[in-house]
Coordinates of all heavy atoms in Angstrom, one line a residue:
A1 N 154.7 130.2 153.2 CA 155.5 129.0 153.1 C 157.0 129.4 152.8 O 157.9 128.8 153.3 CB 155.0 128.1 152.0
E2 N 157.2 130.4 152.0 CA 158.5 130.9 151.7 C 159.2 131.4 152.9 O 160.4 131.1 153.2 CB 158.5 132.0 150.6 CG 159.8 132.4 150.2 CD 159.7 133.5 149.1 OE1 158.8 133.5 148.3 OE2 160.6 134.4 149.1
L3 N 158.5 132.2 153.7 CA 159.1 132.7 155.0 C 159.4 131.6 155.9 O 160.5 131.6 156.6 CB 158.2 133.7 155.6 CG 158.7 134.4 156.8 CD1 159.9 135.2 156.6 CD2 157.6 135.4 157.4
I4 N 158.6 130.6 156.1 CA 158.8 129.5 157.0 C 160.0 128.7 156.5 O 160.9 128.4 157.3 CB 157.6 128.6 157.0 CG1 156.4 129.3 157.7 CG2 157.9 127.3 157.7 CD1 155.1 128.6 157.6
E5 N 160.2 128.5 155.2 CA 161.3 127.8 154.7 C 162.6 128.6 154.9 O 163.6 128.0 155.3 CB 161.1 127.6 153.2 CG 162.1 126.7 152.6 CD 161.8 126.4 151.1 OE1 160.6 125.9 150.8 OE2 162.7 126.6 150.3
K6 N 162.5 129.9 154.7 CA 163.7 130.8 154.9 C 164.2 130.8 156.4 O 165.3 130.8 156.7 CB 163.5 132.2 154.5 CG 163.7 132.5 153.1 CD 163.5 134.0 152.8 CE 163.7 134.3 151.4 NZ 163.5 135.8 151.1
T7 N 163.2 130.9 157.3 CA 163.5 131.2 158.7 C 163.5 129.9 159.6 O 163.9 130.0 160.7 CB 162.5 132.2 159.3 OG1 161.2 131.6 159.3 CG2 162.5 133.5 158.5
G8 N 162.9 128.9 159.1 CA 162.7 127.7 159.9 C 161.6 127.8 160.9 O 161.5 127.1 161.9
G9 N 160.7 128.8 160.7 CA 159.6 129.1 161.6 C 158.5 128.1 161.5 O 158.6 127.1 160.7
T10 N 157.5 128.2 162.3 CA 156.4 127.3 162.3 C 155.1 128.1 162.0 O 154.9 129.2 162.6 CB 156.2 126.7 163.7 OG1 157.4 126.0 164.0 CG2 155.1 125.7 163.8
F11 N 154.3 127.5 161.1 CA 153.0 128.2 160.8 C 152.0 127.9 161.9 O 151.8 126.7 162.2 CB 152.5 127.7 159.4 CG 151.1 128.3 159.1 CD1 151.0 129.6 158.7 CD2 150.0 127.5 159.2 CE1 149.8 130.1 158.4 CE2 148.8 128.0 158.9 CZ 148.6 129.3 158.5
V12 N 151.4 128.9 162.4 CA 150.3 128.8 163.4 C 149.1 129.3 162.7 O 149.0 130.5 162.5 CB 150.6 129.6 164.7 CG1 149.5 129.4 165.7 CG2 151.9 129.1 165.3
P13 N 148.1 128.4 162.5 CA 146.9 128.9 161.9 C 146.2 130.0 162.7 O 146.1 129.8 163.9 CB 146.0 127.6 161.9 CG 146.9 126.5 161.9 CD 148.1 127.0 162.8
P14 N 145.8 131.1 162.1 CA 145.3 132.2 162.9 C 143.9 132.1 163.4 O 143.5 132.9 164.3 CB 145.4 133.3 161.8 CG 145.2 132.7 160.5 CD 145.8 131.3 160.7
Y15 N 143.1 131.1 163.0 CA 141.7 131.1 163.6 C 141.2 129.7 163.7 O 140.4 129.5 164.6 CB 140.8 131.9 162.7 CG 140.9 131.6 161.2 CD1 140.2 130.5 160.7 CD2 141.7 132.3 160.4 CE1 140.2 130.2 159.3 CE2 141.8 132.0 159.0 CZ 141.1 130.9 158.5 OH 141.2 130.6 157.2
N16 N 141.5 128.7 162.9 CA 140.9 127.4 163.1 C 141.8 126.4 163.7 O 142.1 125.3 163.2 CB 140.4 126.9 161.7 CG 141.5 126.8 160.7 OD1 142.6 127.3 160.9 ND2 141.3 126.1 159.6
Y17 N 142.4 126.8 164.9 CA 143.4 126.0 165.6 C 143.1 126.1 167.1 O 143.0 127.2 167.6 CB 144.7 126.6 165.2 CG 145.9 125.9 165.8 CD1 146.2 124.5 165.6 CD2 146.8 126.6 166.6 CE1 147.3 123.9 166.2 CE2 147.9 126.0 167.1 CZ 148.2 124.6 166.9 OH 149.3 124.0 167.5
G18 N 142.8 125.0 167.7 CA 142.4 125.0 169.1 C 143.2 125.8 170.0 O 142.6 126.6 170.8
P19 N 144.5 125.8 170.1 CA 145.2 126.6 171.0 C 145.0 128.1 170.7 O 145.0 128.9 171.7 CB 146.7 126.2 170.7 CG 146.6 124.8 170.3 CD 145.4 124.8 169.4
V20 N 144.9 128.5 169.5 CA 144.6 129.9 169.2 C 143.2 130.3 169.7 O 143.0 131.3 170.4 CB 144.7 130.2 167.7 CG1 144.2 131.6 167.4 CG2 146.2 130.1 167.3
I21 N 142.2 129.5 169.5 CA 140.9 129.7 169.9 C 140.8 129.8 171.5 O 140.2 130.7 172.0 CB 139.9 128.7 169.4 CG1 139.7 128.8 167.9 CG2 138.5 128.8 170.1 CD1 139.0 127.6 167.2
S22 N 141.5 128.9 172.1 CA 141.6 128.9 173.6 C 142.2 130.2 174.1 O 141.8 130.8 175.0 CB 142.4 127.7 174.1 OG 141.8 126.5 173.8
G23 N 143.3 130.6 173.4 CA 143.9 131.9 173.8 C 143.0 133.1 173.7 O 143.0 134.0 174.5
Q24 N 142.3 133.1 172.6 CA 141.3 134.2 172.4 C 140.2 134.2 173.4 O 139.6 135.2 173.8 CB 140.7 134.1 171.0 CG 141.6 134.2 169.8 CD 142.3 135.5 169.7 OE1 142.1 136.4 170.4 NE2 143.2 135.6 168.7
G25 N 139.9 133.0 174.0 CA 138.9 132.8 175.0 C 139.3 133.7 176.3 O 138.3 134.0 177.0
T26 N 140.5 133.9 176.5 CA 140.9 134.7 177.7 C 140.3 136.1 177.6 O 140.0 136.7 178.7 CB 142.4 134.8 177.8 OG1 143.0 135.5 176.7 CG2 143.0 133.4 178.0
I27 N 140.0 136.6 176.4 CA 139.3 137.9 176.3 C 137.9 137.8 176.9 O 137.5 138.7 177.7 CB 139.2 138.3 174.8 CG1 140.6 138.5 174.2 CG2 138.4 139.6 174.7 CD1 140.5 138.6 172.6
G28 N 137.2 136.8 176.6 CA 135.9 136.6 177.2 C 135.9 136.4 178.7 O 135.1 136.9 179.4
L29 N 136.9 135.7 179.2 CA 137.1 135.5 180.6 C 137.3 136.8 181.3 O 136.7 137.1 182.4 CB 138.2 134.5 180.9 CG 138.0 133.1 180.5 CD1 139.3 132.3 180.8 CD2 136.8 132.5 181.1
E30 N 138.2 137.6 180.8 CA 138.5 139.0 181.3 C 137.2 139.8 181.3 O 137.0 140.5 182.3 CB 139.6 139.6 180.6 CG 140.9 139.0 180.9 CD 142.1 139.8 180.2 OE1 142.0 141.0 180.0 OE2 143.0 139.1 179.8
L31 N 136.5 139.8 180.2 CA 135.3 140.6 180.2 C 134.3 140.2 181.3 O 133.7 141.1 182.0 CB 134.6 140.5 178.8 CG 135.3 141.3 177.7 CD1 134.7 140.8 176.3 CD2 135.1 142.8 177.8
V32 N 134.0 138.9 181.4 CA 133.1 138.5 182.4 C 133.5 138.8 183.8 O 132.8 139.1 184.7 CB 132.8 137.0 182.2 CG1 132.0 136.4 183.4 CG2 132.1 136.7 180.9
Q33 N 134.8 138.6 184.1 CA 135.4 138.9 185.4 C 135.4 140.4 185.7 O 135.1 140.8 186.9 CB 136.8 138.4 185.5 CG 136.9 136.9 185.5 CD 138.3 136.4 185.4 OE1 139.3 137.1 185.1 NE2 138.5 135.1 185.6
Q34 N 135.6 141.2 184.7 CA 135.7 142.7 185.0 C 134.4 143.4 184.9 O 134.3 144.5 185.5 CB 136.7 143.3 184.0 CG 138.1 142.8 184.3 CD 139.1 143.4 183.3 OE1 138.9 144.4 182.6 NE2 140.3 142.8 183.2
V35 N 133.4 142.8 184.3 CA 132.1 143.4 184.1 C 131.0 142.4 184.5 O 130.4 141.7 183.7 CB 131.8 143.9 182.7 CG1 130.6 144.7 182.6 CG2 133.0 144.7 182.2
P36 N 130.8 142.2 185.8 CA 130.0 141.1 186.3 C 128.5 141.2 185.8 O 127.9 140.2 185.6 CB 130.0 141.3 187.8 CG 131.2 142.1 188.1 CD 131.5 143.0 186.9
H37 N 128.0 142.4 185.5 CA 126.6 142.5 185.0 C 126.5 142.4 183.5 O 125.5 142.7 182.9 CB 126.0 143.9 185.5 CG 126.8 145.1 185.0 ND1 128.0 145.5 185.7 CD2 126.6 145.9 184.0 CE1 128.4 146.5 185.0 NE2 127.7 146.8 184.0
L38 N 127.6 142.1 182.9 CA 127.6 142.0 181.4 C 126.6 141.0 180.9 O 126.4 139.9 181.4 CB 129.0 141.5 181.0 CG 129.4 141.5 179.5 CD1 129.5 142.9 179.0 CD2 130.7 140.7 179.3
D39 N 125.8 141.5 179.9 CA 124.7 140.6 179.3 C 124.9 140.4 177.8 O 124.2 139.5 177.3 CB 123.4 141.2 179.6 CG 123.1 142.6 179.0 OD1 124.1 143.1 178.4 OD2 122.0 143.1 179.0
A40 N 125.9 141.1 177.2 CA 126.2 140.8 175.8 C 127.6 141.3 175.4 O 128.1 142.2 176.1 CB 125.2 141.6 174.9
I41 N 128.1 140.6 174.4 CA 129.4 141.0 173.9 C 129.3 141.0 172.4 O 128.7 140.1 171.8 CB 130.5 139.9 174.3 CG1 130.6 139.7 175.8 CG2 131.9 140.3 173.7 CD1 131.5 138.6 176.2
I42 N 129.9 142.1 171.8 CA 129.9 142.2 170.3 C 131.4 142.0 169.9 O 132.3 142.6 170.4 CB 129.5 143.6 169.9 CG1 128.0 143.9 170.3 CG2 129.6 143.7 168.4 CD1 127.6 145.3 170.2
V43 N 131.6 141.0 169.1 CA 132.9 140.5 168.7 C 133.2 140.8 167.2 O 132.3 140.3 166.4 CB 133.1 139.1 169.0 CG1 134.6 138.6 168.8 CG2 132.8 138.8 170.5
P44 N 134.3 141.4 166.8 CA 134.6 141.5 165.4 C 134.9 140.1 164.9 O 135.5 139.3 165.5 CB 135.8 142.4 165.3 CG 136.4 142.4 166.7 CD 135.3 142.1 167.6
V45 N 134.4 139.9 163.6 CA 134.6 138.5 163.1 C 135.3 138.6 161.7 O 135.1 139.5 160.9 CB 133.3 137.8 162.9 CG1 132.4 138.4 162.0 CG2 133.5 136.3 162.5
S46 N 136.2 137.7 161.5 CA 136.9 137.5 160.2 C 137.0 136.1 160.0 O 136.2 135.4 159.3 CB 138.3 138.2 160.2 OG 138.9 138.1 158.9
G47 N 138.0 135.4 160.6 CA 138.2 134.0 160.5 C 137.3 133.2 161.5 O 137.0 132.1 161.3
G48 N 137.0 133.9 162.6 CA 136.1 133.2 163.6 C 136.8 132.7 164.8 O 136.1 132.3 165.7
G49 N 138.1 132.8 164.9 CA 138.8 132.3 166.0 C 138.5 133.1 167.3 O 138.3 132.5 168.4
M50 N 138.6 134.4 167.2 CA 138.3 135.2 168.3 C 136.9 135.1 168.8 O 136.6 134.9 170.0 CB 138.7 136.7 168.1 CG 138.5 137.6 169.3 SD 139.3 139.2 169.2 CE 138.6 139.9 167.7
L51 N 135.9 135.1 167.8 CA 134.5 134.9 168.1 C 134.3 133.6 168.8 O 133.6 133.5 169.9 CB 133.7 135.0 166.8 CG 132.2 134.7 167.0 CD1 131.5 135.7 167.8 CD2 131.6 134.7 165.6
S52 N 134.9 132.5 168.3 CA 134.7 131.2 168.9 C 135.3 131.1 170.3 O 134.6 130.6 171.3 CB 135.4 130.1 168.1 OG 134.9 130.1 166.8
G53 N 136.5 131.6 170.5 CA 137.1 131.6 171.8 C 136.3 132.4 172.9 O 136.1 131.9 174.0
I54 N 135.9 133.6 172.5 CA 135.2 134.5 173.4 C 133.9 133.9 173.8 O 133.5 133.8 174.9 CB 135.0 135.9 172.9 CG1 136.4 136.6 172.8 CG2 134.0 136.7 173.6 CD1 136.4 138.0 172.1
A55 N 133.2 133.4 172.8 CA 131.8 132.8 173.0 C 131.9 131.6 173.9 O 131.2 131.4 174.9 CB 131.2 132.4 171.7
M56 N 132.9 130.7 173.6 CA 133.0 129.5 174.5 C 133.3 129.8 175.9 O 132.7 129.2 176.8 CB 134.0 128.5 173.8 CG 133.5 127.8 172.6 SD 134.5 126.4 172.0 CE 136.1 127.2 171.8
A57 N 134.3 130.7 176.1 CA 134.8 131.0 177.4 C 133.7 131.7 178.2 O 133.4 131.4 179.4 CB 136.1 131.7 177.4
A58 N 133.2 132.8 177.6 CA 132.2 133.6 178.4 C 130.9 132.9 178.7 O 130.4 133.0 179.8 CB 132.0 134.9 177.6
K59 N 130.4 132.1 177.7 CA 129.2 131.4 177.9 C 129.3 130.2 178.8 O 128.4 129.8 179.4 CB 128.6 131.0 176.6 CG 128.0 132.3 175.8 CD 127.3 132.0 174.5 CE 126.0 131.4 174.7 NZ 124.9 132.2 175.2
S60 N 130.6 129.8 179.0 CA 130.8 128.7 180.0 C 130.6 129.2 181.4 O 130.2 128.4 182.3 CB 132.1 128.0 179.8 OG 133.2 128.9 180.3
I61 N 130.8 130.5 181.6 CA 130.6 131.1 182.9 C 129.2 131.7 183.0 O 128.6 131.6 184.1 CB 131.6 132.2 183.1 CG1 133.0 131.6 183.2 CG2 131.4 133.0 184.4 CD1 134.2 132.6 183.1
K62 N 128.7 132.3 181.9 CA 127.4 133.0 181.9 C 126.6 132.5 180.7 O 126.6 133.1 179.7 CB 127.6 134.5 181.8 CG 128.2 135.1 183.1 CD 128.2 136.6 183.0 CE 126.8 137.1 183.3 NZ 126.7 138.6 183.5
P63 N 126.0 131.3 180.9 CA 125.3 130.7 179.7 C 124.2 131.6 179.1 O 123.9 131.5 177.9 CB 124.6 129.5 180.3 CG 125.4 129.2 181.6 CD 125.9 130.5 182.1
D64 N 123.6 132.5 179.8 CA 122.6 133.4 179.2 C 123.2 134.6 178.5 O 122.4 135.4 177.9 CB 121.6 133.9 180.3 CG 120.8 132.8 180.9 OD1 120.6 131.7 180.2 OD2 120.3 132.9 182.0
L65 N 124.5 134.8 178.5 CA 125.1 135.9 177.9 C 124.9 135.8 176.3 O 125.0 134.7 175.8 CB 126.6 135.8 178.2 CG 127.5 136.9 177.6 CD1 127.4 138.2 178.5 CD2 128.9 136.5 177.5
K66 N 124.6 136.9 175.7 CA 124.5 137.0 174.3 C 125.8 137.4 173.6 O 126.5 138.3 174.1 CB 123.4 138.0 173.8 CG 122.0 137.7 174.5 CD 121.4 136.5 173.9 CE 120.0 136.3 174.5 NZ 119.6 135.0 174.5
V67 N 126.2 136.7 172.6 CA 127.4 137.0 171.8 C 127.0 137.3 170.4 O 126.4 136.5 169.7 CB 128.4 135.9 171.9 CG1 129.7 136.2 171.1 CG2 128.8 135.5 173.3
F68 N 127.4 138.5 169.9 CA 127.0 138.9 168.5 C 128.3 139.0 167.7 O 129.3 139.6 168.2 CB 126.3 140.2 168.6 CG 125.0 140.2 169.3 CD1 124.9 140.6 170.6 CD2 123.8 139.8 168.7 CE1 123.7 140.5 171.3 CE2 122.6 139.7 169.4 CZ 122.6 140.1 170.7
A69 N 128.3 138.6 166.5 CA 129.4 138.8 165.6 C 129.1 140.1 164.8 O 128.0 140.3 164.3 CB 129.5 137.6 164.6
A70 N 130.2 140.9 164.6 CA 130.1 142.1 163.9 C 131.2 142.2 162.9 O 132.3 141.7 163.1 CB 130.2 143.3 164.9
E71 N 130.9 142.7 161.7 CA 131.8 142.8 160.6 C 131.6 144.0 159.8 O 130.5 144.4 159.4 CB 131.7 141.5 159.7 CG 132.7 141.5 158.6 CD 132.5 140.3 157.7 OE1 131.3 139.9 157.5 OE2 133.4 139.9 157.1
P72 N 132.7 144.8 159.6 CA 132.6 145.9 158.7 C 132.3 145.5 157.3 O 132.6 144.4 156.9 CB 134.0 146.6 158.8 CG 134.9 145.5 159.2 CD 134.1 144.5 160.0
V73 N 131.8 146.4 156.5 CA 131.5 146.1 155.1 C 132.9 146.0 154.4 O 133.8 146.8 154.6 CB 130.7 147.3 154.5 CG1 130.6 147.1 153.0 CG2 129.3 147.4 155.1
G74 N 133.0 145.0 153.6 CA 134.3 144.7 152.9 C 134.4 145.6 151.6 O 133.6 146.4 151.3
T75 N 135.5 145.3 150.9 CA 135.8 146.1 149.7 C 134.8 146.0 148.6 O 134.7 146.8 147.8 CB 137.2 145.8 149.2 OG1 137.2 144.4 148.9 CG2 138.3 146.1 150.2
N76 N 134.0 144.9 148.6 CA 133.0 144.7 147.6 C 131.6 145.3 148.0 O 130.6 145.1 147.3 CB 132.8 143.2 147.3 CG 132.4 142.4 148.6 OD1 132.2 143.0 149.6 ND2 132.3 141.1 148.4
G77 N 131.6 146.1 149.1 CA 130.4 146.7 149.5 C 129.5 145.7 150.4 O 128.4 146.1 150.8
H78 N 130.0 144.6 150.7 CA 129.3 143.6 151.5 C 130.3 143.1 152.6 O 131.5 143.2 152.5 CB 128.9 142.4 150.7 CG 127.9 142.7 149.7 ND1 128.3 143.1 148.4 CD2 126.5 142.7 149.7 CE1 127.2 143.4 147.7 NE2 126.1 143.1 148.4
A79 N 129.7 142.6 153.7 CA 130.5 142.0 154.7 C 130.9 140.6 154.2 O 130.1 139.8 153.7 CB 129.6 141.8 156.0
D80 N 132.2 140.4 154.2 CA 132.8 139.2 153.6 C 132.3 137.9 154.2 O 132.0 136.9 153.5 CB 134.3 139.2 153.7 CG 134.9 140.3 152.9 OD1 134.3 140.7 151.9 OD2 136.0 140.8 153.2
V81 N 132.1 137.8 155.5 CA 131.7 136.6 156.1 C 130.2 136.3 155.8 O 129.8 135.2 155.4 CB 131.8 136.6 157.7 CG1 131.1 135.5 158.4 CG2 133.3 136.6 158.0
A82 N 129.4 137.4 155.8 CA 128.0 137.3 155.4 C 127.9 136.8 153.9 O 127.1 136.0 153.6 CB 127.3 138.6 155.6
A83 N 128.7 137.4 153.0 CA 128.7 137.0 151.6 C 129.1 135.5 151.5 O 128.5 134.8 150.7 CB 129.6 137.9 150.8
S84 N 130.1 135.1 152.2 CA 130.6 133.7 152.2 C 129.5 132.8 152.7 O 129.3 131.7 152.1 CB 131.8 133.5 153.0 OG 132.9 134.2 152.5
K85 N 128.8 133.1 153.7 CA 127.7 132.3 154.3 C 126.6 132.2 153.2 O 126.1 131.1 153.0 CB 127.2 132.8 155.6 CG 126.2 131.9 156.2 CD 125.9 132.3 157.7 CE 125.0 131.3 158.2 NZ 124.6 131.6 159.6
A86 N 126.2 133.3 152.6 CA 125.2 133.4 151.6 C 125.5 132.5 150.4 O 124.6 131.9 149.8 CB 124.9 134.8 151.2
A87 N 126.8 132.4 150.1 CA 127.2 131.6 149.0 C 127.4 130.2 149.3 O 127.8 129.4 148.5 CB 128.6 132.2 148.4
G88 N 127.2 129.8 150.6 CA 127.3 128.4 151.0 C 128.7 128.0 151.2 O 129.0 126.8 151.2
E89 N 129.6 128.9 151.4 CA 131.0 128.6 151.6 C 131.4 128.5 153.1 O 132.5 128.1 153.4 CB 131.9 129.8 151.0 CG 131.7 129.8 149.5 CD 132.3 131.1 148.8 OE1 132.8 131.9 149.6 OE2 132.2 131.2 147.6
L90 N 130.5 128.7 154.0 CA 130.7 128.5 155.4 C 129.9 127.4 155.9 O 128.8 127.2 155.6 CB 130.5 129.8 156.2 CG 131.4 130.9 156.0 CD1 131.0 132.2 156.8 CD2 132.8 130.5 156.4

């Protein structure tokens, strides 16, 4: 907020914002176009925008395609998204 106030910039939500999710979807489109026999995609997950975009775009072309979310173990020894889901926060 301070940087936006100083610079007059605009905050763009990094993951839960339709245009960002749509932009991330281009990754899925490129994968499907460049690898026609593709049957699965593993996507790193944090906020979920890239995962959402890739899944929506790629599965719109190849509905049987499998999309898996992958996350490294966080600083607490657990995957943060998995811990948030287990805590009922997602």
Side-chain angles (χ1 to χ4, degrees):
E2 183 180 326
L3 183 60
I4 291 171
E5 192 174 305
K6 273 185 180 179
T7 64
T10 301
F11 177 72
V12 177
Y15 51 85
N16 60 345
Y17 182 58
V20 169
I21 293 170
S22 296
Q24 301 292 1
T26 63
I27 299 167
L29 294 177
E30 288 183 33
L31 285 167
V32 171
Q33 290 170 349
Q34 293 179 19
V35 187
H37 60 278
L38 189 68
D39 62 355
I41 302 172
I42 301 170
V43 184
V45 64
S46 180
M50 183 164 56
L51 175 64
S52 299
I54 290 173
M56 287 191 304
K59 288 182 75 66
S60 72
I61 296 169
K62 293 185 77 169
D64 293 337
L65 183 80
K66 302 292 182 204
V67 179
F68 299 96
E71 179 182 33
V73 173
T75 57
N76 61 1
H78 296 86
D80 295 331
V81 171
S84 295
K85 186 170 183 179
E89 297 170 357
L90 289 179

